[in-house]
Amino acid sequence: MSADKSTSWSYTESLPAEDDVLLCARERSHELGVKPVSSGVAAALTVLAAGSKAQTVVEVGSGAGVSGVSLLRGLSPQAVLTTIDADVDHLRAAREAFSEAGIPSNRTRTISGRAANVLPRLTDSAYDMVFIDADKLSYPTYVDQGLRLLRAGGMLVINDALDRDRVSNPANREETTTVLRQVERSIRDDERMVSSVIPTGDGLLLAVKQS
């Protein structure tokens, strides 16, 4: 990355002004050893949620509430967020963040369990957005399930799509990097989807299910 590109990336990440709710959620995430979405990604999630006019959203990996609050702030007052996380402490932190953000309890549903086990129990074609930010080695499973859950016109959002800038280096064969390359190529080649990867944060893959 050139110096100018690096400076531009740093600028876009520092531009969002986060309030005490998100700052407290970030502090809890660090205490729990959770890597939350970056400020730039959080702001992008709010914009994507608002622009999509989604009513039903699934989040795989709670991020201790940082991503969930960001999504909810872009959604309409009637929209519902379902958050899945295997760690009960992470879910508890997410619920605390939702409460501090003034989100009514009937707008959130938190499910404790492995996403690979929980996602198959959710209803086909019943969701407008699926956000994935969890263990990368399971991304192929999460993506397959996410596409099943999405309605036509629904959006799939995958965090950390560039895997710390390793995906772009063909010589890098680390397992997570290889998995992400495979996921991104499979989505690119899927005739049901239109997709793009943007360099916000550590990369966001955006894909819309057309049919």
Side-chain angles (χ1 to χ4, degrees):
M1 182 184 291
S2 70
D4 286 345
K5 284 288 186 184
S6 179
T7 300
S8 293
W9 180 90
S10 298
Y11 172 78
T12 59
E13 285 295 319
S14 64
L15 184 61
E18 297 193 330
D19 62 8
D20 288 343
V21 171
L22 281 178
L23 293 176
C24 287
R26 288 190 183 282
E27 184 176 345
R28 281 191 292 269
S29 73
H30 294 314
E31 291 171 354
L32 291 168
V34 177
K35 179 189 173 186
V37 297
S38 72
S39 297
V41 170
L45 290 177
T46 301
V47 172
L48 290 169
S52 69
K53 302 189 185 305
Q55 293 298 305
T56 49
V57 180
V58 173
E59 176 185 44
V60 181
S62 68
V66 176
S67 51
V69 168
S70 300
L71 286 164
L72 285 159
R73 284 179 167 174
L75 296 172
S76 74
Q78 294 77 38
V80 176
L81 173 71
T82 297
T83 299
I84 303 166
D85 203 308
D87 193 305
V88 294
D89 290 330
H90 298 175
L91 281 178
R92 186 179 300 112
R95 285 193 292 268
E96 189 170 351
F98 299 158
S99 176
E100 290 174 354
I103 306 296
S105 59
N106 63 354
R107 291 194 57 208
T108 63
R109 178 172 62 154
T110 55
I111 302 176
S112 175
R114 290 171 49 84
N117 298 328
V118 175
L119 289 170
R121 303 202 299 266
L122 301 183
T123 304
D124 292 5
S125 304
Y127 295 87
D128 301 308
M129 180 181 289
V130 175
F131 174 60
I132 300 173
D133 185 23
D135 54 306
K136 296 184 181 69
L137 295 182
S138 297
Y139 272 24
T141 298
Y142 300 158
V143 168
D144 285 345
Q145 288 296 320
L147 293 180
R148 179 184 64 80
L149 297 176
L150 284 173
R151 297 185 175 101
M155 180 180 291
L156 179 71
V157 183
I158 299 175
N159 194 39
D160 291 336
L162 297 177
D163 199 24
R164 288 179 287 174
D165 295 320
R166 297 185 297 200
V167 168
S168 60
N169 179 5
N172 194 306
R173 298 293 181 180
E174 293 192 42
E175 192 172 8
T176 57
T177 309
T178 300
V179 166
L180 280 165
R181 283 198 197 102
Q182 292 170 344
V183 165
E184 289 158 16
R185 287 169 182 162
S186 69
I187 291 175
R188 179 197 65 190
D189 296 338
D190 190 328
E191 294 183 354
R192 298 170 297 171
M193 311 290 292
V194 290
S195 63
S196 177
V197 177
I198 61 174
T200 304
D202 191 27
L204 275 180
L205 188 152
L206 311 178
V208 173
K209 182 179 179 180
Q210 294 187 300
S211 61

